[in-house]
Amino acid sequence: MNGTPEALLVRPAARLRGGPALPGDKSISHRALLLALLAEGESTIAAAGDGEDVRSTAGVCRALGAIVERVAERNGRVDYRVVSPGGANLREPEGILDCGNSGTTTRLVAGMLAGRNLFAVLDGDASLRKRPMGRVVEPLGRMGAAFSGRRNDTLLPLAIRGRERLAPITYTTPVPSAQIKSSIMLAALSADGESVITETVATRDHTERMLRARGIAVHETLAEDGTHTIRLAGPALPAAIAETVPSDPSGAAFWLVAGAIHPDAELRLVAVSTNPTRRAVIDILRRMGASIEELDLPVRGGRDGEPLADLVVRSSALRGVDITPVDVAAAIDEVPVLCLAAAMAEGVTTIRGAGELRHKESDRIAGIADGLTALGADIRVTGDDIEIHGGRPLTGAVTETLDDHRLAMTFAIAGLVAKGETTVLRPGSAAISYPGFFQVLEGVRA
Ligand code: S3P
């Protein structure tokens, strides 16, 4: 992240007002690009996220033979036009595929390339090279793709030798993960017959919705115990369509927490996805006592489109709650900023079964505990459980982001309510998912 400062000073805000510009949803933007690559012909993607992760996916699509044009840019969002030779005619990339910091890019591209007759090598930055890839290599290997990588084929750089036709798979994901599920679904498009993918907790369902919107039959069942099963038959390729990306609920989460914990706040967040598999952060904050108004908007794209709403958050008196392992899976990216909300709430918040947070862009359990402790919060970690004794006033301090975008943004939001000055070390990672975040932060200071 050249040209960004080594540290950013955040001073408390007297009031928070306005409508902070939000990024396009990162998960949907990645998928829209990859499905446009698989679809022969011209696709358009309006208002996509323009963070570095989505740019990594755009770069991979170009390396595999698509024309990916940036047609317009505004407020940290980009309109893309993609013209692709289609999944059956991808180009074997000449060099490595650089996935940057993006786990979603890596795992979804691995699934997509498992079923393409070409050789490719995936690589990324120092953080991505530490993240577990065995969780996709194992099922994709069973389907017939060959992988070779560091540490017994579980770490990047990872070489893939794909095959035009794969065997279908019946598989239960070992941890709730939309990345693993989606990776297998993209491979299942190249399988001869029906694949059945089960997850014990339903994770974000964008791949399911977006494949259906592109003409592919994806059957889902949700059992009473919460088990979610997907059936998908190959071979099939998605059709080229026009997509408009909603605002990212994971980006909106920073402002939902800022508005709720600040004593004089009213913030409006426009056209946010309230997809049932993404909205847990709204519901958890409401359980904590947050005042969040939800004004539903018409759904774009019919039955498979994303439900949307404008959200208005106001200063709230929060109280501690229990956050269960199912909540953690549903709000996986929002747990760090929810820890800040918990630190500002009266009483105790417990977060159970948060182990997956250790496998994100950083060990987010350690990172959030260290940063909030530096700011004066009482946060205790036992194994994969977190206990926060809220209600202690925060005082500005130096916070270490570990180059993790969600930690950088969480500590900057803390700086709006902490006494004195908060230093956010190496804040540039915010641009991974939320370009312009710090300008937006200055803009909401009424
Ligand atoms: C994502 C899934 C989540 C999430 C990530 C984006 C996706 O990861 O943390 O930011 O787009 O599928 P896991 O499903 O691996 O937990």
Side-chain angles (χ1 to χ4, degrees):
M1 265 147 284
N2 294 331
T4 51
E6 278 300 294
L8 186 92
L9 273 186
V10 182
R11 297 193 176 80
R15 308 193 312 153
L16 299 179
R17 289 289 186 282
L22 296 170
D25 187 81
K26 179 161 79 72
S27 292
I28 296 174
S29 302
H30 284 302
R31 288 161 173 78
L33 283 163
L34 294 175
L35 295 178
L37 174 67
L38 288 179
E40 191 182 331
E42 178 176 325
S43 303
T44 59
I45 307 165
D50 200 17
E52 290 169 20
D53 272 6
V54 175
R55 287 179 183 231
S56 293
T57 295
V60 168
C61 291
R62 289 190 185 103
L64 288 163
I67 298 167
V68 181
E69 243 175 53
R70 298 172 59 89
V71 178
E73 291 173 30
R74 65 194 168 283
N75 287 336
R77 294 194 176 201
V78 57
D79 295 341
Y80 282 115
R81 174 175 167 269
V82 180
V83 181
S84 177
N89 302 302
L90 298 186
R91 180 173 75 203
E92 187 166 69
E94 284 167 24
I96 62 138
L97 297 174
D98 184 1
C99 301
N101 189 244
S102 177
T104 309
T105 306
T106 312
R107 298 195 178 104
L108 269 54
V109 168
M112 186 184 71
L113 293 185
R116 308 289 142 201
N117 183 22
L118 49 81
F119 172 82
V121 180
L122 300 175
D123 198 7
D125 69 9
S127 154
L128 196 59
R129 284 179 177 176
K130 289 190 205 137
R131 296 180 63 187
M133 297 302 155
R135 47 179 67 189
V136 292
V137 165
E138 203 260 325
L140 299 174
R142 280 204 217 174
M143 295 175 82
F147 290 87
S148 176
R150 282 191 307 131
R151 195 139 348 134
N152 230 348
D153 312 329
T154 62
L155 294 181
L156 298 185
L158 189 65
I160 310 174
R161 157 59 61 198
R163 300 209 340 207
E164 201 167 308
R165 282 288 164 268
L166 298 172
I169 190 169
T170 296
Y171 194 74
T172 300
T173 57
V175 288
S177 161
Q179 293 183 14
I180 305 179
K181 167 178 73 176
S182 302
S183 179
I184 301 170
M185 288 176 74
L186 293 177
L189 295 177
S190 299
D192 270 316
E194 187 181 68
S195 292
V196 184
I197 306 154
T198 301
E199 43 184 5
T200 52
V201 179
T203 61
R204 64 192 69 192
D205 66 355
H206 307 301
T207 309
E208 293 87 317
R209 287 172 188 258
M210 293 173 77
L211 282 176
R212 272 198 297 265
R214 288 159 179 76
I216 291 176
V218 179
H219 302 287
E220 295 178 70
T221 49
L222 189 60
E224 244 168 56
D225 67 356
T227 302
H228 179 222
T229 301
I230 295 155
R231 288 169 194 278
L232 166 60
L237 281 174
I241 67 168
E243 174 88 53
T244 300
V245 179
S247 298
D248 194 328
S250 304
F254 296 103
W255 306 114
L256 292 177
V257 170
I261 65 178
H262 192 283
D264 184 358
E266 179 174 322
L267 297 172
R268 172 182 285 263
L269 305 162
V270 176
V272 181
S273 162
T274 51
N275 178 319
T277 62
R278 294 293 297 284
R279 57 168 297 122
V281 63
I282 301 172
D283 299 327
I284 294 168
L285 283 170
R286 281 191 177 145
R287 245 155 63 200
M288 298 178 80
S291 159
I292 301 174
E293 219 180 300
E294 193 170 337
L295 308 144
D296 289 338
L297 299 171
V299 176
R300 294 184 288 245
R303 203 171 60 89
D304 299 314
E306 292 280 316
L308 294 177
D310 289 350
L311 305 173
V312 181
V313 60
R314 297 187 178 87
S315 310
S316 310
L318 299 183
R319 52 185 178 270
V321 293
D322 284 328
I323 296 178
T324 66
V326 171
D327 292 329
V328 170
I332 187 75
D333 292 335
E334 293 77 58
V335 172
V337 78
L338 282 169
C339 288
L340 170 62
M344 299 297 290
E346 276 309 316
V348 180
T349 294
T350 53
I351 304 175
R352 285 181 292 116
E356 268 301 296
L357 265 77
R358 296 195 191 278
H359 304 295
K360 294 296 177 185
E361 287 81 331
S362 71
D363 175 345
R364 285 186 178 156
I365 296 185
I368 199 68
D370 288 351
L372 289 182
T373 301
L375 293 165
D378 181 350
I379 171 165
R380 307 168 194 181
V381 176
T382 315
D384 292 338
D385 299 341
I386 309 170
E387 192 177 283
I388 299 160
H389 295 249
R392 305 221 306 211
L394 300 185
T395 305
V398 176
T399 57
E400 172 53 65
T401 62
L402 305 173
D403 286 318
D404 182 323
H405 53 129
R406 304 221 188 265
L407 296 183
M409 292 187 275
T410 297
F411 298 144
I413 297 291
L416 295 175
V417 297
K419 205 169 136 234
E421 278 176 355
T422 297
T423 303
V424 181
L425 291 181
R426 285 174 295 121
S429 61
I432 288 291
S433 63
Y434 202 146
F437 175 81
F438 296 109
Q439 288 92 301
V440 176
L441 183 100
E442 288 313 310
V444 296
R445 288 174 186 277

